[in-house]
Amino acid sequence: MKIATYNINGINARLEQLVAWLKDTRPDVVCLQELKVPELRFPAITLEKAGYGAVWQCDKAYNGVAILARGGEPHLIRRRLPGEPADTQSRYIEAAVKGVVVASLYLPNGNPRPGPAFDYKQRWFARLLKHARDLLKADVPVVLAGDYNVVPSDDVRDIYSPKSWAKDALVQPEPRASYRRLLEQGWTDTLATVGPKTPSYTFWTYWRERYERDAGLRIDHILTSPQLKPRLKKAGVDREVRAHAHGSDHAPVWLTLKK
DNA sequence: ATGTCGGCAAAATGCCGA
């Protein structure tokens, strides 16, 4: 079983690429973020023709998350992260797929910092920590996949140059501490655990040929609950997808499970 | 400080969010 996550940065701007990538790599489950599409323009029919059922949660222009399942329909569990009813941004969707609870999440970016955007990021992270704990209590296999907008460390495996990002919300101690607390709850950072030993960047800005220079960051993560530990096989990044002339600024991340 | 995108509002360029 193969599970992937991909911040697509506008699903209709990349639809051909998305379909080609699905055909090439045949993931069983796909978590998408930054759909940037109103609900009624979500390309459900195109995805259906490509062999994928979907559930999605959209805003008018920004955010937006989806879960795709090959040869079936994801069973929707929730469309919102609990804890802040006034928060209407579409950043979380959760579904049962092929015996696993899967969440596609898009953590707030948090820039500019300091300010309300950064505060919102921290509140959102606190809500995620609480919900993640509840999911662990349910004692079922769970995958939390998405764009966490957090570079876990200053290690070269996570970021090409900590110095040039030092003031950015993606590398601050507070979100890093929240991410670490998630791992301390018992979740596994699968790319760090069963991924390549070489840098596994997942995001390169569009600026100044950052991709060509491999000036990247690791901010897209697939976390798994303890039940899945014995089934973890291999993780990686489809980095060549980022090389497309009109590609997203992220690359897909994937995980394979035994069975 | 900057770089570059996607998508919006509103009328093609400027803004926002990333």
Side-chain angles (χ1 to χ4, degrees), chain A residues 208-244:
Chain A
R208 295 185 193 246
E209 294 161 334
R210 293 279 169 87
Y211 177 72
E212 289 74 9
R213 292 164 32 215
D214 197 24
L217 290 75
R218 187 169 78 96
I219 58 175
D220 300 272
H221 309 298
I222 303 180
L223 270 49
T224 52
S225 67
Q227 289 82 0
L228 287 171
K229 221 166 198 173
R231 289 175 60 190
L232 299 180
K233 222 155 114 186
K234 200 178 168 191
V237 180
D238 288 342
R239 39 183 307 142
E240 63 286 351
V241 171
R242 174 62 180 80
H244 275 112

Side-chain angles (χ1 to χ4, degrees), chain A residues 37-48:
Chain A
V37 70
E39 176 160 2
L40 296 174
R41 297 231 177 92
F42 182 85
I45 293 165
T46 304
L47 293 172
E48 187 70 53

Side-chain angles (χ1 to χ4, degrees), chain A residues 54-210:
Chain A
V55 290
W56 59 93
Q57 176 64 34
C58 298
D59 292 337
K60 191 178 174 191
Y62 299 126
N63 311 314
V65 285
I67 298 172
L68 318 184
R70 187 157 64 86
E73 294 297 327
H75 181 78
L76 181 69
I77 301 171
R78 61 171 67 246
R79 297 178 169 280
R80 297 284 175 197
L81 187 60
E84 191 175 327
D87 178 12
T88 58
Q89 298 190 23
S90 296
R91 298 181 173 276
Y92 189 93
I93 191 167
E94 187 180 294
V97 196
K98 304 175 197 231
V100 181
V101 173
V102 177
S104 176
L105 64 96
Y106 177 43
L107 237 125
N109 170 292
N111 284 304
R113 177 205 68 91
F118 192 69
D119 299 341
Y120 173 53
K121 179 178 198 168
Q122 283 310 99
R123 287 204 308 281
W124 208 96
F125 226 142
R127 288 161 60 198
L128 180 62
L129 279 161
K130 187 171 186 306
H131 186 58
R133 198 177 297 278
D134 290 341
L135 286 168
L136 291 180
K137 274 188 224 148
D139 203 29
V140 294
V142 185
V143 175
L144 298 178
D147 179 357
Y148 283 70
N149 268 315
V150 178
V151 179
S153 80
D154 278 349
D155 190 279
V156 71
R157 284 182 65 189
D158 290 343
I159 185 167
Y160 70 104
S161 163
K163 210 175 144 190
S164 44
W165 286 81
K167 289 179 180 164
D168 195 278
L170 306 190
V171 303
Q172 295 313 306
E174 298 91 338
R176 279 183 171 171
S178 300
Y179 187 74
R180 203 161 47 241
R181 280 216 295 283
L182 213 40
L183 302 186
E184 285 162 5
Q185 285 183 357
W187 300 90
T188 302
D189 179 340
T190 58
L191 195 55
T193 309
V194 291
K197 295 289 167 249
T198 49
S200 308
Y201 304 143
T202 67
F203 164 76
W204 301 257
T205 77
Y206 289 121
W207 308 330
R208 295 185 193 246
E209 294 161 334
R210 293 279 169 87

